[in-house]
Amino acid sequence: MEFVEVETKEDIMAAGQLVRTIAPDALCGPALHSFLCDIEHKIRLAMENDTEYYLVCRQGPVGYAALVNEGDCLAVKQIGFAPGWRRKGLLKRTLAFLAETYDPPLIRIDGWGKEQPALEALGFHKRE
């Protein structure tokens, strides 16, 4: 498995395609349409405002993570994997990579969605 920081136009396009594949599992109707509208542009703007994106690659991109390094906390804004690649340990390996790369005292995951059972199994707990 390889983690590729999103930097090029091609990387942004690959991240956008993954978002289009994954988002229908979490959103529907007008919320989905609004979220996906110009998604590559939104990714580029987020990158300009300190959000870092990584592609999770295994025989091509199969997942992505969007995060903001806040110094005392690594905020994972979005994380997701293509349907055929779920339940294969990628979430655990991705979080381990982020923890090793950034060495934050705290990792905060802002959007849990369908990943909640897996995150709880990894020892994360949801705060209200």
Side-chain angles (χ1 to χ4, degrees):
M1 177 166 24
E2 180 183 11
F3 299 94
V4 177
E5 187 170 0
V6 172
E7 296 177 317
T8 68
K9 180 179 179 180
E10 291 77 19
D11 295 342
I12 292 171
M13 298 299 285
Q17 186 58 42
L18 277 167
V19 172
R20 282 189 181 83
T21 301
I22 296 165
D25 288 343
L27 301 169
C28 62
L32 176 63
H33 176 73
S34 175
F35 179 73
L36 292 179
C37 184
D38 296 325
I39 191 65
E40 289 83 2
H41 179 71
K42 291 174 184 174
I43 291 171
R44 187 181 55 75
L45 287 177
M47 290 171 58
E48 291 174 1
N49 290 306
D50 297 327
T51 299
E52 298 175 51
Y53 283 80
Y54 283 90
L55 295 173
V56 180
C57 297
R58 245 183 124 171
Q59 304 165 354
V62 298
Y64 78 101
L67 53 112
V68 175
N69 185 357
E70 297 174 349
D72 62 339
C73 175
L74 183 65
V76 179
K77 300 297 187 178
Q78 296 175 18
I79 191 165
F81 303 93
W85 289 93
R86 295 180 186 147
R87 302 185 60 88
K88 297 184 185 303
L90 297 178
L91 178 62
K92 181 178 182 177
R93 285 184 251 165
T94 301
L95 292 173
F97 164 78
L98 295 175
E100 182 180 306
T101 301
Y102 291 90
D103 193 26
L106 176 69
I107 295 177
R108 184 183 75 233
I109 300 171
D110 290 347
W112 283 49
K114 291 190 177 245
E115 309 295 347
Q116 182 170 345
L119 289 166
E120 289 173 345
L122 292 172
F124 286 87
H125 35 167
K126 192 168 186 171
R127 284 201 235 170
E128 299 302 325

